[in-house]
Amino acid sequence: MTGAAVSMARHSTFTSVIRVAGDIVSRPSGAIGLFLVVVHLLLAIISPYIAPFDYRDLDPLKMLQQPGPVHWLGNDHLGRDVFSRTLLGGREALLVTGIATPVAVLWGGFTGIFLGLAGGRLDEILMRIVDAFLSLPWILKMLVLIVTFGTGVGVLIPTLAFFYGIPVIRIARAATHDVVARDFVEAARARGHGKLSIIWHELFPNVRDALLVEGAMRWSWMLLAFSSLSFLGFGVSPPTPDWGLMIADARGFMSFAPWGVLGPVIALSSLIIGINLTADALAKALGIDRAQKAPI
Amino acid sequence: MLRMLARRVLLGIVTVFLVSLIIFSGVEILPGDACTAYLEREAQGKLLENCRTELGLDRSASARYLDWASGAVRGDLGVSATGRKSIATLVGDRLKNTLLLAACALVVGIPLALFLGVVSALNRDRPADLIISTLTIFAMTIPEFVTATLLILVFSVWLGWVPGIVLTSAGAPVSEFFPEILLPIAVLAMVMTAHILRTVRSSVIETMASDYVQMAVLKGVPYWQMVFRHVLPNALLPTINVVALTVAWLLGGVVVIETVFNYPGLGRMMIDSISDRDLPVTQAIALIIATVYVAVNLLADLLTMLANPRLRTAQIRH
Amino acid sequence: MSSSRPESANSQTAPLVAIKDLSIGFTGKKGTTLAVLRNIDLQIYAGESVGLVGESGSGKSTLALAAMGYLKRGLRVLNGQACFREDDMFTQTRDQLEQVRGGHIALIPQNSGQSLTPTRRIGRQVAEALRLHSSLPAVQHSSRVVELLEQVRLPDPLTLVNRYPHELSGGQQQRVAIAMALAGEPSVLLLDEPTTGLDVTTQAHILELLSELARQSGMAMVYVSHDLGAIARVCDSVAVMYAGEIVLQGSARQILLDPIHPYARGLLASIPRLKDATLPRALDGRPPAPGETGNACAFAERCALAKPRCTSERPPLQSLASGEAVRCHFYAEAKNLALAGDKQRSARILADTGDATLELKEITISYAKPGLMDQVLGRKPSSTPTVDDINFRLLQGETLGLVGESGSGKSTILKSIAGLLSPLSGDIIWQNEDALPASVEKRSPQQLRRVQIIFQNPDESLNPRQTVAEILAQPLVLYFGLKGAALKARTVELLDRVRLAGHYMDRLPSQLSGGEKQRVAVARAFAAEPDLVLCDEVTSALDVSVQAAVLDLLDDLRRQSHTSYVFVSHDLAVVRALSDRVAVLYQGRLCEIGPAQSVYTHPSHPYTDVLLGAVLEPDPDTTPTLIADDVLELSPPDRGCAFQRRCPMSLGEQCNTQTPPWQHSENGHAIRCHLPLFNTSPLKH
């Protein structure tokens, strides 16, 4: 491709990014969603510098203390500052899912596009395997690996990326099927372009939007999975603060210290709702209806 | 249509077969086996060898797979590693409890989802729709354990209306689960309703914009007749599959809810078996859940075929 | 109709429908109000049939729906009224509207396939209209439904009532929609492009049915169409719409033969005719988008007569003594504009010098794919092939027109030439050399470059995510390895050849009009410098005035580069305008082939006769001849002649069992029929 063509493509990509972002913000729900996501991302970066207390500081005298002017959200059962821990509690989750999501979407996406184009026996066989994987509950698949290999970031990222990439194959393949049937792909085939060229020039640009929206949704589901695992005790290891784990810990004392759950509950919910609102607005801005999709 | 049906059944069987292969080989690859789990720290030397001979673990992998798979087809899921009990008996009650939970949630959730989804779509972009849609997003996205925690906090801790935890044992008759089961049902139904509602809403909106609904309006069909005769029969078709997928997904996701409420269902048993490394039990539960998933989807396909005249009648035009 | 009538003639009878100074619009992105209909005045009297003519986007369908008080989502009334018997439909209550719709004013929609509720049986849908609007007692409804279906000449109505819409052919669905509209015994029938998308023979039959119904029942009909040929068949008077305005009103005869508005004349000149082989004349430019015209005449930008006054003052609709009404400052001068294309096609090559570009030998194609069980059992599907025994030669620089109705296999043949669909058997010979490999994967880059294909709908054939430069770069990089400045220069050159400015390079397809998009698709094909271009219904998705420009462009390009075309179309007039030779297909079998002149003037195969007879010409003095029934054939017969089931000249046993022989005349005209050549036409008796 020429320099001119490339710069033109860049130009149009850039303007379309601006246009889509503008479209998202122009909807109230999209603006709220994007705001929540941005705030959470910022907090994840700067929270170590602004957290008023060390998340590890135990203080037996302040066990389950009520919220007050010093400890805004009170203290947990070990006397640690809930506010500081809430501020820091999303970092691990965002790190893990922030890496695993793009990896999942990319590997699942390209596999799906390839299968959608190739078709035939290979497609038939691999899709059966994908179906088989999808019919197993996510938590079982995750837990088996985590119990065997441990709960570190080094295990969680590839595990999440692998299992969450599998449904992406299906989405990308279906999106590709919609595109492959269109005449411009026929035209490229008739000209004699190779499979890779067709994937790159004709298919990917048209499947990209569906994958973007899919990625945003995968992200929110991955966060859900991550915090559920933490909650069940299979996620991050203490004393690292994590919302899921904090909720699990505070639940036992809920009858007399209900404030312990509120901080992490609000933090976690606002992030996931933010991502979903953004994903919804993104889908509308890109002209894709995501409501039809089931949560697999 | 019979051909299509036969094809779907065949594919379902292939999928279950593949699942069994994946489960079996997954467990093969993992370090440790039933004997290391049973013997725990004593798993070495003669003792381990004896145990393996006894359980037949010293045979080739393919022989053991055939043994396991043929047993499963006959309903014999083997014995658990910890405690050496028949898995079929162990799982039976738990499966019943989980199905009870799911069924109750469905009975509440599906009519609610249909009603609210249609109301929301017919009042598109008006206050009723905005309220329903916003609540849907909340119900759909907030993790189950968060919803469960909040519900326990409000209805059990503060108001004291219902118990926040299930204390009934796994084998108890259905009636004894009430009212303890109410909160778990509420959480499960909420998530499910939200997912189905969204599909119903967008499907109804799409149908309302179709040429045939415009034609019905221009034919002078009164509003509610139009909704019930022209819109809903078409709009609800695609939701059948989504209901199935949601149900199947929730059967897997019910694990968290069962743990939160200490509900003696299949999901909690699965977690326990994984923690205990009781691989035969894990395998059995995985196979059961996967089979239910495939069966529910198959049922949905069948229902869609029956409800959709395009699939039901022979195709004349191509 | 209309204000154009002398007041006295209709002073006693009030119009059924009266549109009064109606403007309809929507709120644009920037918050401004954009009008899609502007100051429409129209009266429809009992028993009248009025045609509303215009190209896509002219607002004709919006106007028809507005007469029923219906607006599409987002539209609103800006000004004026749409009255039915004095009541403004836009102020009626829901109950009142439900009474009028279907009862007094009934609609026959454009696409009946999509306008019938897919989950309801035909009988129930028709009965619903009866239940809502008829005074008949409920017990008689089912017999009345059958009666109605018979009235619209549907075969076997008793079984049909239990069918679902998808089980019917397009023509049958359209008839059901007509029956449904008749059920309410309306006084006004609105027809929104009722025959668009149907095959020519079906179209002619439906129109005949409609005009007969109108004659019998005395209903007023409003016939909305882009197709002047259809209008000429059924309408007494015509209103021509352009950019949301009525620009010309008058009797159908006057408007079809000698209209006084420049746009109407341009439109007529852009329609290709069966009778002559000249290229139609294109209307340059494109209609303005809503809100673009401001205070000018909407047509000023494209008008050959435009003067400064036209861009500063919007012309009013003036009623003339002749009975016409026209929206033009200088209508008196319009008669100077030519009414037909006068440009002769570029020189044709008729002598067979033996230099064939392409030769098809006994091509047979089957669409039947082996099913899952067939794959497992290793069976081969056994069915009559979709396309069978196709033989023809294509000379260098020659255009071969391939005509036939939907399902005739014409696009299938193109795909197999392009290598996208492998034939079951037969050879594709290239320039008297060896056979081309059947699939693209096995063809050499040179073989691929020489054959290019242009598809029907540029919205489908252009990648919506690529700019025009990127689209054109695909073949240029692939075949010639062009880079940098050379690529850019060549891109500009190609755009220039298809009469597009260089700055179109960085536009996306969505930023182009339909005609511009198709020109980009043409440029992409010619970027490969091909010897053969396969044109698959390349003008069917375009408006007539735009179609003419594309035809003209294709002819120019052929002259410049001596390219051969295989030109596939269902539109016989378009094929006539461009082709040197014509081949007629029925059910995947060739019926007739020969020089265009000869085939069009002396059609010899009964099917060609049927096809030509059914063509609707925009001329009130021609009438289509309906010979064969418009039955739907699902698959070709196993043996004998492909046309045996519908042939009006069938010899019976012989036609049904023996494959007819090819009969050749001296000038290269050949038919495949048991009847003797040039003696087969039922019209000639």
Side-chain angles (χ1 to χ4, degrees), chain A:
Chain A
M1 203 184 289
T2 70
V6 169
S7 75
M8 255 154 18
R10 252 186 223 142
H11 174 71
S12 68
T13 311
F14 178 72
T15 46
S16 59
V17 167
I18 297 288
R19 187 184 56 78
V20 168
D23 201 326
I24 290 176
V25 178
S26 74
R27 298 164 204 276
S29 62
I32 294 170
L34 203 57
F35 171 77
L36 288 174
V37 173
V38 169
V39 167
H40 271 288
L41 288 178
L42 277 179
L43 276 182
I45 295 165
I46 61 168
S47 54
Y49 310 104
I50 60 163
F53 294 91
D54 190 320
Y55 66 90
R56 284 163 302 198
D57 276 356
L58 307 179
D59 191 342
L61 295 176
K62 290 179 177 169
M63 271 181 357
L64 299 174
Q65 185 179 271
Q66 285 196 14
V70 182
H71 299 283
W72 293 352
L73 290 176
N75 299 69
D76 68 5
H77 61 293
L78 298 175
R80 296 173 297 196
D81 179 49
V82 174
F83 180 68
S84 301
R85 289 179 62 80
T86 304
L87 274 185
L88 294 160
R91 301 190 78 211
E92 197 89 353
L94 282 172
L95 175 74
V96 169
T97 57
I99 297 173
T101 306
V103 175
V105 172
L106 282 178
W107 93 258
F110 275 101
T111 312
I113 294 176
F114 180 76
L115 289 183
L117 177 66
R121 287 257 155 80
L122 181 72
D123 175 52
E124 190 80 22
I125 293 168
L126 282 180
M127 284 322 286
R128 288 284 79 73
I129 296 177
V130 165
D131 272 354
F133 265 106
L134 289 179
S135 68
L136 289 167
W138 63 269
I139 204 155
L140 176 103
K141 293 179 279 198
M142 301 283 310
L143 280 186
V144 168
L145 289 185
I146 289 167
V147 166
T148 313
F149 297 110
T151 58
V153 170
V155 175
L156 282 171
I157 292 178
T159 312
L160 280 167
F162 175 68
F163 286 122
Y164 276 75
I166 290 176
V168 180
I169 296 179
R170 229 185 171 176
I171 304 286
R173 180 173 169 273
T176 305
H177 277 170
D178 290 345
V179 183
V180 160
R182 295 182 63 179
D183 283 343
F184 61 84
V185 180
E186 283 277 274
R189 275 187 58 212
R191 281 197 303 272
H193 289 278
K195 277 206 165 57
L196 282 179
S197 164
I198 290 180
I199 288 180
W200 187 247
H201 290 293
E202 314 292 341
L203 298 179
F204 180 68
N206 288 288
V207 176
R208 190 185 57 203
D209 289 354
L211 287 182
L212 264 178
V213 173
E214 190 58 24
M217 280 196 294
R218 289 289 141 206
W219 188 22
S220 103
W221 288 338
M222 232 185 241
L223 269 169
L224 216 128
F226 182 91
S227 53
S228 298
L229 286 174
S230 290
F231 176 81
L232 294 174
F234 297 98
V236 291
S237 0
T240 314
D242 180 85
W243 297 324
L245 194 57
M246 288 167 71
I247 295 171
D249 286 343
R251 252 167 48 86
F253 313 99
M254 212 155 52
S255 46
F256 44 94
W259 54 85
V261 295
L262 287 182
V265 158
I266 291 169
L268 177 57
S269 308
S270 63
L271 174 56
I272 293 190
I273 287 174
I275 294 174
N276 271 280
L277 289 178
T278 313
D280 263 1
L282 178 69
K284 278 183 190 145
L286 295 174
I288 299 169
D289 185 12
R290 60 167 278 214
Q292 290 278 359
K293 287 169 193 152
I296 47 164

Side-chain angles (χ1 to χ4, degrees), chain C residues 199-205 207 227 229-230 233 274 405 572 607-617 623-628 630 646 683:
Chain C
D199 278 326
V200 269
T201 49
T202 312
Q203 192 179 1
H205 278 274
L207 285 177
D227 184 349
R233 293 290 76 71
L274 265 192
E405 295 173 286
L572 290 126
Y607 176 61
T608 314
D609 238 6
V610 167
L611 208 55
L612 283 170
V615 171
L616 304 167
E617 289 253 73
T623 32
T625 334
L626 305 175
I627 311 159
D630 62 328
R646 287 175 67 190
L683 297 180

Side-chain angles (χ1 to χ4, degrees), chain A residues 1-5 8-9 11-12 121 124 181-195 197 201-203 205-206 208-209 286, chain C residues 375 415 418-420 440-441 448 452-453 455 457 459-467 469-470 474-475 477-479 483-484 487-488 505-506 524:
Chain A
M1 203 184 289
T2 70
M8 255 154 18
H11 174 71
S12 68
R121 287 257 155 80
E124 190 80 22
R182 295 182 63 179
D183 283 343
F184 61 84
V185 180
E186 283 277 274
R189 275 187 58 212
R191 281 197 303 272
H193 289 278
K195 277 206 165 57
S197 164
H201 290 293
E202 314 292 341
L203 298 179
N206 288 288
R208 190 185 57 203
D209 289 354
L286 295 174
Chain C
Q375 279 178 1
K415 283 198 171 158
L420 294 170
V440 274
E441 281 81 13
L448 288 165
Q452 294 291 314
I453 183 164
F455 291 88
N457 187 346
D459 288 325
E460 286 292 308
S461 70
L462 300 181
N463 188 336
R465 298 301 166 128
Q466 287 176 346
T467 60
E470 287 171 302
Q474 299 295 325
V477 172
L478 180 74
Y479 298 131
K483 284 192 196 105
L487 176 62
K488 190 173 177 185
M505 279 220 302
D506 42 10
R524 177 173 67 183

Side-chain angles (χ1 to χ4, degrees), chain A residues 190-191, chain C residues 444-452 479-480 525 527-532:
Chain A
R191 281 197 303 272
Chain C
S444 73
Q446 277 309 310
Q447 287 171 331
L448 288 165
R449 181 186 65 73
R450 287 172 172 165
V451 183
Q452 294 291 314
Y479 298 131
F480 306 107
E529 294 169 25
D531 295 328
L532 169 65

Side-chain angles (χ1 to χ4, degrees), chain B residues 3 7 10 124-125 211-212 214-215 217-223 225 229-230 233-234 237 309-310 312-317, chain C residues 65 68 70 72-73 94 98 101-102 107 114-120 125 128 131-133 164 166-169 180 372 634:
Chain B
R3 285 180 65 107
R7 192 186 143 83
L10 198 70
R124 186 180 174 188
D125 294 340
D211 285 353
Y212 53 84
Q214 180 188 318
M215 187 62 213
V217 172
L218 292 174
K219 219 165 106 180
V221 179
Y223 187 77
Q225 282 186 29
R229 296 183 184 179
H230 295 270
N234 291 289
L237 276 179
R310 265 175 211 274
R312 191 172 63 221
T313 55
Q315 202 97 12
I316 288 186
R317 273 178 1 116
Chain C
L65 293 180
M68 300 182 89
Y70 186 88
K72 290 229 153 114
R73 204 179 156 83
R94 196 149 90 186
E98 280 161 8
R101 291 171 177 169
L107 175 79
Q114 282 160 30
S115 298
L116 296 171
T117 304
T119 47
R120 307 200 87 201
Q125 299 203 41
E128 183 175 45
R131 183 171 51 76
L132 295 168
H133 301 295
Y164 286 98
H166 72 271
E167 298 176 271
L168 274 54
S169 71
M180 212 156 81
L372 182 72
L634 292 174

Side-chain angles (χ1 to χ4, degrees), chain B residues 202-221:
Chain B
S202 72
S203 183
V204 170
I205 286 178
E206 205 176 292
T207 312
M208 289 289 281
S210 70
D211 285 353
Y212 53 84
V213 170
Q214 180 188 318
M215 187 62 213
V217 172
L218 292 174
K219 219 165 106 180
V221 179

